[in-house]
Amino acid sequence: MRLPVRQQVAADLRISDQTIDNWRRQQRIDAGLEPGITSRDRPSRWPPGAGSRSGV
């Protein structure tokens, strides 16, 4: 049995299909098709943990 495309892509990338949904929603926000904070206006979260005090 074949998985739906979204689930297959998530499995191939070893990420959750929810991550794919998040990326798709963010793309719609960036394109002005959905309300929300654009990628340009959102503070960067890279590298992961940047600004974190863990390990201090």
Side-chain angles (χ1 to χ4, degrees):
M1 185 169 125
R2 221 161 167 202
L3 291 173
V5 173
R6 178 178 58 99
Q7 290 176 331
Q8 185 61 55
V9 169
D12 290 347
L13 295 174
R14 296 184 182 165
I15 59 176
S16 72
D17 49 338
Q18 180 63 50
T19 297
I20 300 285
D21 292 340
N22 293 347
W23 289 347
R24 291 178 70 203
R25 181 170 186 270
Q26 189 61 55
Q27 185 277 328
R28 291 183 57 78
I29 291 169
D30 291 346
L33 302 173
E34 215 174 298
I37 300 172
T38 64
S39 296
R40 180 179 288 211
D41 293 336
R42 183 179 303 277
S44 175
R45 292 166 79 187
W46 188 259
S52 167
R53 297 194 48 94
S54 62
V56 174

